[in-house]
Amino acid sequence: QVQPVESGGGLVQAGDSLRLSCVASGRTFSNYAMGWFRQAPGKEREFVAAISWNNGNTYYADSVKGRATISRDNAKNTVDLQMNSLKPEDTAAYYCAAAYRKTNGWDGRYDFWGQGTQVTVSS
């Protein structure tokens, strides 16, 4: 098992950039796909980005494509989300999640979740 812990959120202005970080405890971090999700008040949790555990493939929601970059460092047990050109609609609590050794046919469910870090983008 791994326990993700997020950091890097804050209050920024539209057009600014943020780098969110997630560190996950455990010896098997490299066996987990890692994802970033966000949830704004009154809205459902939304997928933002993910990175595969086995081949480094990355995936992005259309809402952040071109503005977000997800990366991981298995030696440090970290996954980052670089977000540029932030918009007010990016305001949300951002969560880091881990999914153990998922392959073809995965239902998209994650096994472990962090507590979240708040990102607020003012207009």
Side-chain angles (χ1 to χ4, degrees), residues 15-102:
D16 286 352
S17 297
L18 273 179
R19 190 174 187 88
L20 306 181
S21 295
C22 171
V23 59
S25 64
R27 296 179 296 166
T28 59
F29 176 78
S30 62
N31 293 326
Y32 289 82
M34 301 298 298
W36 284 95
F37 295 77
R38 65 188 182 186
Q39 187 168 22
K43 296 185 177 181
E44 294 186 355
R45 185 176 59 204
E46 175 188 20
F47 170 78
V48 178
I51 185 166
S52 299
W53 68 274
N54 58 342
N55 56 25
N57 288 346
T58 57
Y59 310 87
Y60 299 95
D62 288 341
S63 59
V64 302
K65 196 168 298 182
R67 300 187 296 120
T69 302
I70 188 171
S71 60
R72 70 187 298 163
D73 186 338
N74 288 343
K76 298 179 179 179
N77 280 21
T78 58
V79 59
D80 291 352
L81 180 69
Q82 175 70 39
M83 296 195 66
N84 303 323
S85 301
L86 286 162
K87 306 174 181 179
E89 49 262 46
D90 293 320
T91 296
Y94 283 71
Y95 298 89
C96 178
Y100 183 72
R101 285 180 170 263
K102 308 305 180 182

Coordinates of all heavy atoms in Angstrom, one line a residue, residues 15-102:
G15 N -3.9 33.0 -15.0 CA -2.7 33.1 -15.8 C -1.4 32.7 -15.2 O -0.4 32.4 -15.8
D16 N -1.4 32.5 -13.8 CA -0.3 32.1 -13.1 C -0.1 30.6 -13.3 O -0.9 29.9 -13.9 CB -0.4 32.4 -11.6 CG -0.2 33.9 -11.3 OD1 0.2 34.6 -12.2 OD2 -0.5 34.3 -10.2
S17 N 1.0 30.1 -12.7 CA 1.3 28.7 -12.7 C 1.5 28.1 -11.3 O 1.9 28.9 -10.4 CB 2.6 28.4 -13.5 OG 2.5 28.8 -14.9
L18 N 1.3 26.8 -11.2 CA 1.5 26.1 -9.9 C 2.1 24.8 -10.2 O 1.8 24.2 -11.3 CB 0.2 26.0 -9.1 CG -0.2 27.1 -8.2 CD1 -1.6 26.6 -7.5 CD2 0.8 27.3 -7.1
R19 N 2.9 24.3 -9.3 CA 3.4 22.9 -9.4 C 2.9 22.2 -8.1 O 3.4 22.5 -7.0 CB 4.9 22.9 -9.5 CG 5.5 21.5 -9.8 CD 7.0 21.5 -10.1 NE 7.5 20.2 -10.5 CZ 7.5 19.9 -11.8 NH1 7.1 20.7 -12.7 NH2 8.0 18.7 -12.1
L20 N 2.0 21.3 -8.3 CA 1.6 20.4 -7.2 C 2.4 19.2 -7.1 O 2.9 18.6 -8.1 CB 0.1 20.0 -7.4 CG -0.9 21.1 -7.7 CD1 -2.3 20.6 -7.9 CD2 -0.9 22.2 -6.6
S21 N 2.7 18.8 -5.9 CA 3.5 17.6 -5.6 C 2.8 16.6 -4.8 O 1.9 17.0 -4.0 CB 4.8 18.0 -4.9 OG 5.6 18.9 -5.8
C22 N 3.1 15.4 -5.0 CA 2.6 14.3 -4.2 C 3.7 13.3 -3.9 O 4.4 12.9 -4.8 CB 1.5 13.6 -5.0 SG 0.8 12.1 -4.3
V23 N 3.8 13.0 -2.6 CA 4.8 12.0 -2.2 C 4.0 10.9 -1.6 O 3.0 11.1 -0.8 CB 5.8 12.6 -1.2 CG1 5.1 13.1 0.1 CG2 6.8 11.5 -0.8
A24 N 4.3 9.7 -2.0 CA 3.6 8.5 -1.5 C 4.5 7.5 -0.8 O 5.5 7.1 -1.4 CB 3.0 7.8 -2.7
S25 N 4.2 7.3 0.4 CA 5.0 6.3 1.2 C 4.8 4.9 0.7 O 3.8 4.6 0.0 CB 4.6 6.4 2.7 OG 3.2 6.0 2.9
G26 N 5.8 4.1 1.0 CA 5.7 2.7 0.6 C 6.8 2.3 -0.3 O 7.4 3.1 -1.0
R27 N 7.1 1.0 -0.3 CA 8.2 0.4 -1.1 C 7.8 0.1 -2.5 O 8.7 -0.1 -3.4 CB 8.8 -0.8 -0.4 CG 9.4 -0.6 0.9 CD 9.9 -1.9 1.4 NE 8.8 -2.9 1.7 CZ 9.0 -4.2 1.9 NH1 10.2 -4.7 1.9 NH2 7.9 -4.9 2.2
T28 N 6.5 0.1 -2.8 CA 6.0 -0.4 -4.1 C 5.4 0.8 -4.9 O 4.6 0.5 -5.8 CB 4.9 -1.4 -3.9 OG1 3.9 -0.9 -3.1 CG2 5.5 -2.7 -3.2
F29 N 5.9 2.0 -4.7 CA 5.4 3.1 -5.5 C 5.5 2.9 -7.0 O 4.5 3.3 -7.7 CB 6.2 4.4 -5.1 CG 5.8 5.6 -5.9 CD1 4.6 6.3 -5.5 CD2 6.6 6.1 -6.9 CE1 4.3 7.4 -6.2 CE2 6.2 7.2 -7.6 CZ 5.1 7.9 -7.3
S30 N 6.5 2.3 -7.5 CA 6.7 2.1 -8.9 C 5.6 1.2 -9.5 O 5.5 1.1 -10.7 CB 8.1 1.6 -9.2 OG 8.3 0.3 -8.6
N31 N 4.9 0.5 -8.7 CA 3.9 -0.5 -9.2 C 2.5 0.2 -9.3 O 1.5 -0.5 -9.6 CB 3.8 -1.7 -8.2 CG 5.0 -2.6 -8.3 OD1 5.6 -2.7 -9.4 ND2 5.4 -3.2 -7.2
Y32 N 2.5 1.5 -9.0 CA 1.2 2.2 -9.0 C 1.1 3.2 -10.1 O 2.0 4.0 -10.3 CB 1.0 2.9 -7.7 CG 0.7 2.0 -6.5 CD1 1.7 1.4 -5.9 CD2 -0.6 1.8 -6.1 CE1 1.4 0.5 -4.8 CE2 -0.9 1.0 -5.1 CZ 0.1 0.3 -4.4 OH -0.2 -0.5 -3.3
A33 N 0.0 3.2 -10.9 CA -0.3 4.3 -11.7 C -0.7 5.5 -10.8 O -1.3 5.2 -9.7 CB -1.4 4.0 -12.7
M34 N -0.4 6.7 -11.1 CA -0.7 7.8 -10.3 C -1.5 8.8 -11.0 O -1.3 9.1 -12.2 CB 0.6 8.5 -9.8 CG 1.6 7.6 -9.0 SD 0.8 7.0 -7.5 CE 0.5 8.5 -6.6
G35 N -2.5 9.3 -10.3 CA -3.4 10.3 -10.9 C -3.7 11.5 -10.1 O -3.5 11.5 -8.9
W36 N -4.1 12.5 -10.8 CA -4.5 13.8 -10.1 C -6.0 14.0 -10.4 O -6.4 13.9 -11.6 CB -3.7 15.0 -10.5 CG -2.4 15.1 -9.9 CD1 -1.2 14.6 -10.5 CD2 -2.0 15.6 -8.7 NE1 -0.1 14.9 -9.6 CE2 -0.6 15.5 -8.5 CE3 -2.8 16.2 -7.7 CZ2 0.0 15.9 -7.4 CZ3 -2.1 16.7 -6.5 CH2 -0.7 16.5 -6.4
F37 N -6.8 14.3 -9.4 CA -8.2 14.6 -9.5 C -8.4 15.9 -8.8 O -7.6 16.4 -8.0 CB -9.0 13.5 -8.9 CG -8.9 12.2 -9.6 CD1 -7.8 11.4 -9.4 CD2 -9.9 11.8 -10.5 CE1 -7.7 10.2 -10.1 CE2 -9.8 10.6 -11.1 CZ -8.7 9.7 -10.9
R38 N -9.6 16.5 -9.1 CA -10.0 17.7 -8.4 C -11.4 17.7 -8.2 O -12.2 17.1 -8.9 CB -9.5 19.0 -9.2 CG -10.2 19.1 -10.6 CD -9.6 20.3 -11.3 NE -10.3 20.5 -12.6 CZ -9.8 21.4 -13.5 NH1 -8.7 22.1 -13.3 NH2 -10.5 21.6 -14.6
Q39 N -11.8 18.5 -7.2 CA -13.2 18.6 -6.8 C -13.5 20.0 -6.3 O -12.9 20.4 -5.3 CB -13.7 17.6 -5.8 CG -15.1 17.5 -5.5 CD -15.6 16.3 -4.7 OE1 -14.7 15.7 -4.0 NE2 -16.8 15.9 -4.8
A40 N -14.4 20.7 -7.0 CA -14.8 22.0 -6.6 C -16.1 21.9 -5.8 O -16.8 20.9 -5.9 CB -15.1 22.8 -7.9
P41 N -16.4 22.9 -5.0 CA -17.6 22.8 -4.1 C -18.8 22.6 -5.0 O -19.0 23.3 -6.0 CB -17.6 24.2 -3.4 CG -16.1 24.6 -3.4 CD -15.6 24.0 -4.7
G42 N -19.7 21.7 -4.6 CA -20.9 21.4 -5.3 C -20.8 20.6 -6.5 O -21.8 20.4 -7.2
K43 N -19.6 20.2 -6.9 CA -19.4 19.4 -8.1 C -18.8 18.1 -7.8 O -18.2 17.9 -6.7 CB -18.5 20.2 -9.1 CG -19.0 21.5 -9.6 CD -18.1 22.1 -10.6 CE -18.7 23.4 -11.2 NZ -17.9 24.0 -12.2
E44 N -18.9 17.2 -8.7 CA -18.3 15.8 -8.6 C -16.8 15.9 -8.8 O -16.3 16.8 -9.5 CB -19.0 14.9 -9.5 CG -20.5 14.6 -9.2 CD -21.0 13.5 -10.1 OE1 -20.3 13.0 -11.0 OE2 -22.2 13.1 -9.9
R45 N -16.2 14.9 -8.3 CA -14.7 14.7 -8.5 C -14.5 14.6 -10.0 O -15.2 13.8 -10.7 CB -14.2 13.5 -7.7 CG -12.7 13.4 -7.8 CD -12.3 12.2 -6.9 NE -13.0 11.0 -7.3 CZ -13.2 9.9 -6.5 NH1 -12.8 10.0 -5.2 NH2 -13.8 8.9 -6.9
E46 N -13.4 15.2 -10.5 CA -13.1 15.2 -11.9 C -11.7 14.8 -12.1 O -10.7 15.2 -11.4 CB -13.3 16.7 -12.4 CG -12.8 16.9 -13.8 CD -12.8 18.4 -14.2 OE1 -12.8 19.2 -13.3 OE2 -12.9 18.6 -15.4
F47 N -11.5 13.9 -13.1 CA -10.2 13.5 -13.5 C -9.4 14.6 -14.1 O -9.9 15.4 -14.9 CB -10.3 12.3 -14.5 CG -9.0 12.0 -15.1 CD1 -8.0 11.2 -14.4 CD2 -8.7 12.4 -16.4 CE1 -6.8 10.9 -15.0 CE2 -7.5 12.1 -17.0 CZ -6.6 11.3 -16.3
V48 N -8.1 14.8 -13.8 CA -7.2 15.8 -14.3 C -6.1 15.2 -15.2 O -6.0 15.6 -16.3 CB -6.6 16.7 -13.2 CG1 -5.7 17.7 -13.8 CG2 -7.7 17.3 -12.4
A49 N -5.3 14.3 -14.6 CA -4.2 13.7 -15.3 C -3.8 12.5 -14.6 O -4.1 12.2 -13.4 CB -3.0 14.7 -15.3
A50 N -3.1 11.6 -15.4 CA -2.6 10.4 -14.8 C -1.3 10.0 -15.5 O -1.1 10.4 -16.7 CB -3.6 9.2 -14.9
I51 N -0.5 9.1 -14.9 CA 0.7 8.6 -15.5 C 0.8 7.1 -15.2 O 0.5 6.7 -14.0 CB 1.9 9.4 -15.0 CG1 3.2 8.9 -15.8 CG2 2.1 9.3 -13.5 CD1 4.4 9.8 -15.6
S52 N 1.1 6.3 -16.2 CA 1.1 4.9 -16.0 C 2.2 4.4 -15.1 O 3.2 5.1 -14.9 CB 1.3 4.2 -17.4 OG 0.3 4.5 -18.3
W53 N 2.0 3.2 -14.5 CA 3.0 2.6 -13.6 C 4.1 1.9 -14.4 O 5.2 1.8 -13.9 CB 2.4 1.7 -12.7 CG 1.8 0.4 -13.3 CD1 0.6 0.3 -13.9 CD2 2.5 -0.8 -13.5 NE1 0.4 -1.0 -14.4 CE2 1.6 -1.7 -14.1 CE3 3.7 -1.3 -13.1 CZ2 2.0 -3.0 -14.4 CZ3 4.1 -2.6 -13.4 CH2 3.2 -3.5 -14.1
N54 N 3.8 1.4 -15.6 CA 4.7 0.5 -16.3 C 5.3 1.1 -17.6 O 6.4 0.5 -18.0 CB 4.0 -0.8 -16.6 CG 2.7 -0.6 -17.5 OD1 2.2 0.5 -17.6 ND2 2.3 -1.7 -18.1
N55 N 4.8 2.1 -18.2 CA 5.3 2.5 -19.4 C 5.5 4.1 -19.5 O 6.0 4.6 -20.6 CB 4.5 2.0 -20.6 CG 3.1 2.4 -20.5 OD1 2.7 3.4 -19.9 ND2 2.2 1.6 -21.2
G56 N 5.1 4.8 -18.5 CA 5.2 6.2 -18.5 C 4.2 7.0 -19.3 O 4.4 8.2 -19.5
N57 N 3.3 6.3 -19.9 CA 2.2 7.1 -20.7 C 1.5 8.0 -19.8 O 1.2 7.7 -18.6 CB 1.2 6.1 -21.3 CG 1.9 5.3 -22.4 OD1 2.9 5.6 -22.9 ND2 1.2 4.2 -22.9
T58 N 1.1 9.2 -20.3 CA 0.4 10.2 -19.6 C -1.0 10.4 -20.3 O -1.2 10.2 -21.5 CB 1.2 11.5 -19.5 OG1 1.5 11.9 -20.9 CG2 2.5 11.3 -18.8
Y59 N -1.9 10.9 -19.4 CA -3.3 11.1 -19.9 C -3.8 12.4 -19.2 O -3.5 12.7 -18.1 CB -4.2 9.9 -19.5 CG -3.6 8.6 -19.9 CD1 -2.7 7.9 -19.0 CD2 -4.0 8.0 -21.1 CE1 -2.2 6.7 -19.4 CE2 -3.5 6.8 -21.5 CZ -2.6 6.1 -20.6 OH -2.1 4.9 -21.0
Y60 N -4.5 13.1 -20.0 CA -5.0 14.4 -19.5 C -6.5 14.6 -19.8 O -7.0 14.2 -20.9 CB -4.2 15.6 -20.1 CG -2.8 15.5 -19.8 CD1 -1.8 14.9 -20.6 CD2 -2.3 16.1 -18.6 CE1 -0.5 14.9 -20.3 CE2 -0.9 16.0 -18.3 CZ 0.0 15.4 -19.2 OH 1.3 15.4 -18.8
A61 N -7.2 15.3 -18.9 CA -8.5 15.7 -19.2 C -8.5 16.8 -20.3 O -7.5 17.6 -20.3 CB -9.2 16.2 -18.0
D62 N -9.5 16.9 -21.1 CA -9.6 17.9 -22.1 C -9.5 19.3 -21.5 O -9.0 20.2 -22.1 CB -10.8 17.8 -22.9 CG -10.8 16.6 -23.9 OD1 -9.7 16.1 -24.1 OD2 -11.9 16.2 -24.3
S63 N -10.0 19.5 -20.3 CA -10.0 20.8 -19.7 C -8.7 21.3 -19.3 O -8.5 22.5 -19.2 CB -10.9 20.7 -18.4 OG -10.4 19.8 -17.5
V64 N -7.7 20.5 -19.2 CA -6.3 20.9 -18.8 C -5.3 20.6 -19.9 O -4.1 20.9 -19.7 CB -5.9 20.3 -17.5 CG1 -6.9 20.7 -16.4 CG2 -5.7 18.8 -17.6
K65 N -5.7 19.9 -21.0 CA -4.7 19.5 -22.0 C -4.1 20.7 -22.6 O -4.7 21.7 -22.9 CB -5.5 18.7 -23.1 CG -4.6 17.9 -24.0 CD -5.4 17.0 -24.9 CE -6.1 15.9 -24.0 NZ -6.9 15.0 -24.8
G66 N -2.7 20.7 -22.6 CA -2.0 21.8 -23.1 C -1.5 22.7 -22.0 O -0.6 23.6 -22.3
R67 N -2.1 22.6 -20.9 CA -1.7 23.5 -19.7 C -1.1 22.7 -18.6 O -0.5 23.3 -17.7 CB -3.0 24.2 -19.2 CG -3.6 25.1 -20.3 CD -4.7 26.0 -19.6 NE -5.8 25.2 -19.1 CZ -6.2 25.1 -17.8 NH1 -5.5 25.9 -16.9 NH2 -7.2 24.4 -17.4
A68 N -1.3 21.4 -18.5 CA -0.9 20.6 -17.4 C 0.1 19.5 -17.9 O 0.0 19.0 -19.0 CB -2.1 19.9 -16.8
T69 N 1.1 19.2 -17.0 CA 2.1 18.2 -17.3 C 2.2 17.4 -16.0 O 2.5 17.9 -15.0 CB 3.4 18.8 -17.7 OG1 3.3 19.6 -18.9 CG2 4.4 17.6 -18.0
I70 N 2.0 16.1 -16.1 CA 2.2 15.2 -15.0 C 3.5 14.4 -15.2 O 3.9 14.1 -16.3 CB 1.0 14.2 -14.9 CG1 1.2 13.4 -13.6 CG2 0.9 13.3 -16.1 CD1 -0.1 12.6 -13.2
S71 N 4.3 14.2 -14.1 CA 5.5 13.5 -14.1 C 5.7 12.8 -12.8 O 5.1 13.1 -11.8 CB 6.7 14.5 -14.4 OG 6.8 15.5 -13.3
R72 N 6.6 11.8 -12.9 CA 6.9 11.0 -11.7 C 8.3 10.7 -11.5 O 9.1 10.7 -12.5 CB 6.0 9.7 -11.6 CG 6.5 8.7 -12.6 CD 5.5 7.5 -12.7 NE 5.5 6.8 -11.4 CZ 4.5 6.0 -11.0 NH1 3.4 5.8 -11.8 NH2 4.5 5.4 -9.8
D73 N 8.8 10.5 -10.3 CA 10.1 10.2 -10.0 C 10.0 9.0 -9.0 O 9.8 9.2 -7.8 CB 10.9 11.3 -9.4 CG 12.4 11.0 -9.2 OD1 12.7 9.8 -9.1 OD2 13.2 12.0 -9.1
N74 N 10.2 7.8 -9.6 CA 10.0 6.6 -8.7 C 11.1 6.5 -7.7 O 10.9 5.9 -6.6 CB 10.1 5.4 -9.6 CG 8.8 5.2 -10.4 OD1 7.8 5.9 -10.2 ND2 8.8 4.4 -11.5
A75 N 12.3 7.1 -7.9 CA 13.3 7.0 -6.9 C 13.0 7.9 -5.7 O 13.4 7.6 -4.6 CB 14.7 7.5 -7.5
K76 N 12.1 8.9 -5.9 CA 11.7 9.8 -4.8 C 10.3 9.5 -4.3 O 9.8 10.2 -3.4 CB 11.9 11.2 -5.2 CG 13.3 11.6 -5.5 CD 13.4 13.1 -5.9 CE 14.8 13.5 -6.3 NZ 14.8 14.9 -6.7
N77 N 9.6 8.6 -5.0 CA 8.2 8.3 -4.6 C 7.4 9.6 -4.8 O 6.5 9.8 -4.0 CB 8.1 7.7 -3.2 CG 8.4 6.3 -3.2 OD1 9.1 5.7 -4.0 ND2 8.0 5.6 -2.1
T78 N 7.6 10.3 -5.9 CA 6.8 11.5 -6.1 C 6.2 11.6 -7.4 O 6.7 11.0 -8.4 CB 7.7 12.8 -5.9 OG1 8.8 12.7 -6.8 CG2 8.3 12.9 -4.5
V79 N 5.1 12.3 -7.5 CA 4.4 12.6 -8.8 C 4.0 14.1 -8.7 O 3.5 14.5 -7.7 CB 3.2 11.7 -9.0 CG1 2.2 11.8 -7.9 CG2 2.6 12.0 -10.4
D80 N 4.3 14.8 -9.7 CA 4.0 16.2 -9.8 C 3.0 16.6 -10.9 O 2.9 15.8 -11.8 CB 5.3 17.0 -10.1 CG 6.3 17.0 -8.9 OD1 6.0 16.5 -7.8 OD2 7.4 17.5 -9.1
L81 N 2.3 17.6 -10.7 CA 1.4 18.2 -11.7 C 1.8 19.6 -11.9 O 1.5 20.5 -11.0 CB 0.0 18.0 -11.2 CG -1.1 18.5 -12.3 CD1 -1.1 17.7 -13.5 CD2 -2.5 18.6 -11.6
Q82 N 2.3 20.0 -13.0 CA 2.6 21.3 -13.3 C 1.4 21.9 -14.1 O 1.0 21.3 -15.1 CB 3.9 21.4 -14.2 CG 4.2 22.8 -14.7 CD 4.7 23.7 -13.7 OE1 5.4 23.3 -12.8 NE2 4.3 25.0 -13.7
M83 N 0.9 23.0 -13.6 CA -0.2 23.6 -14.2 C 0.1 25.0 -14.6 O 0.5 25.8 -13.7 CB -1.5 23.5 -13.4 CG -2.0 22.1 -13.1 SD -3.7 22.1 -12.4 CE -4.6 22.7 -13.8
N84 N -0.1 25.4 -15.8 CA 0.2 26.7 -16.4 C -1.1 27.4 -16.8 O -2.2 26.7 -17.0 CB 1.1 26.6 -17.5 CG 2.5 26.0 -17.1 OD1 3.0 26.2 -16.0 ND2 3.0 25.3 -18.1
S85 N -1.1 28.7 -17.0 CA -2.2 29.4 -17.5 C -3.5 29.1 -16.7 O -4.5 28.8 -17.3 CB -2.4 29.1 -19.0 OG -1.3 29.5 -19.7
L86 N -3.4 29.1 -15.4 CA -4.5 28.8 -14.6 C -5.7 29.7 -14.8 O -5.6 30.9 -15.1 CB -4.1 28.8 -13.1 CG -3.2 27.6 -12.7 CD1 -2.4 27.9 -11.4 CD2 -4.0 26.4 -12.6
K87 N -6.8 29.1 -14.7 CA -8.1 29.7 -14.9 C -8.9 29.6 -13.6 O -8.8 28.7 -12.8 CB -8.9 29.1 -16.1 CG -8.1 29.0 -17.4 CD -8.9 28.3 -18.4 CE -8.2 28.2 -19.7 NZ -8.9 27.4 -20.7
P88 N -9.9 30.6 -13.4 CA -10.7 30.5 -12.3 C -11.4 29.1 -12.1 O -11.7 28.6 -11.0 CB -11.7 31.6 -12.5 CG -11.0 32.6 -13.2 CD -10.1 31.8 -14.2
E89 N -11.8 28.5 -13.3 CA -12.5 27.2 -13.2 C -11.5 26.1 -12.8 O -12.0 25.0 -12.6 CB -13.1 26.9 -14.6 CG -12.1 27.1 -15.8 CD -12.3 28.4 -16.5 OE1 -12.4 29.5 -15.8 OE2 -12.4 28.5 -17.7
D90 N -10.3 26.4 -12.7 CA -9.3 25.4 -12.1 C -9.4 25.3 -10.6 O -8.8 24.4 -10.0 CB -7.9 25.7 -12.5 CG -7.7 25.5 -14.0 OD1 -8.2 24.5 -14.6 OD2 -7.0 26.3 -14.6
T91 N -10.1 26.3 -10.0 CA -10.2 26.3 -8.5 C -10.9 25.0 -8.0 O -12.0 24.7 -8.4 CB -11.1 27.5 -8.1 OG1 -10.4 28.7 -8.4 CG2 -11.3 27.5 -6.6
A92 N -10.2 24.3 -7.1 CA -10.7 23.1 -6.6 C -9.7 22.5 -5.6 O -8.6 23.0 -5.5 CB -10.9 22.0 -7.7
A93 N -10.2 21.5 -4.8 CA -9.2 20.7 -4.1 C -8.7 19.7 -5.0 O -9.4 19.0 -5.6 CB -10.0 20.1 -2.9
Y94 N -7.4 19.6 -5.0 CA -6.7 18.6 -5.9 C -6.2 17.4 -5.1 O -5.5 17.6 -4.0 CB -5.5 19.3 -6.6 CG -6.0 20.2 -7.7 CD1 -6.6 21.4 -7.5 CD2 -5.7 19.8 -9.1 CE1 -7.0 22.2 -8.5 CE2 -6.2 20.6 -10.1 CZ -6.8 21.8 -9.8 OH -7.2 22.6 -10.9
Y95 N -6.5 16.3 -5.6 CA -6.2 15.0 -4.9 C -5.2 14.2 -5.7 O -5.4 14.1 -6.9 CB -7.4 14.2 -4.6 CG -8.4 14.9 -3.7 CD1 -9.4 15.8 -4.2 CD2 -8.3 14.7 -2.3 CE1 -10.2 16.4 -3.4 CE2 -9.2 15.4 -1.5 CZ -10.2 16.2 -2.0 OH -11.0 16.9 -1.2
C96 N -4.3 13.6 -5.1 CA -3.4 12.6 -5.7 C -3.9 11.2 -5.3 O -4.3 10.9 -4.2 CB -2.0 12.8 -5.1 SG -0.7 11.7 -5.7
A97 N -3.9 10.3 -6.3 CA -4.4 8.9 -6.1 C -3.5 7.9 -6.7 O -2.8 8.2 -7.7 CB -5.8 8.8 -6.6
A98 N -3.5 6.7 -6.2 CA -2.7 5.6 -6.6 C -3.5 4.4 -7.0 O -4.5 4.1 -6.3 CB -1.6 5.2 -5.6
A99 N -3.1 3.8 -8.1 CA -3.8 2.6 -8.6 C -2.8 1.5 -8.8 O -1.9 1.7 -9.6 CB -4.6 2.9 -9.8
Y100 N -3.0 0.3 -8.2 CA -2.0 -0.7 -8.2 C -2.1 -1.6 -9.5 O -3.1 -2.2 -9.8 CB -2.2 -1.6 -7.0 CG -1.2 -2.7 -6.9 CD1 0.1 -2.4 -6.6 CD2 -1.5 -4.1 -7.2 CE1 1.1 -3.4 -6.5 CE2 -0.6 -5.1 -7.1 CZ 0.7 -4.8 -6.7 OH 1.6 -5.8 -6.6
R101 N -1.0 -1.5 -10.3 CA -0.8 -2.4 -11.4 C -2.0 -2.7 -12.3 O -2.4 -3.8 -12.7 CB -0.3 -3.8 -10.9 CG 1.2 -3.8 -10.4 CD 1.6 -5.1 -9.9 NE 3.0 -5.2 -9.7 CZ 3.9 -5.7 -10.5 NH1 3.5 -6.1 -11.7 NH2 5.2 -5.7 -10.2
K102 N -2.6 -1.6 -12.7 CA -3.7 -1.7 -13.6 C -3.3 -1.9 -15.1 O -2.2 -1.4 -15.5 CB -4.6 -0.4 -13.6 CG -5.0 0.0 -12.2 CD -5.7 -1.1 -11.4 CE -6.1 -0.6 -10.0 NZ -6.7 -1.7 -9.3

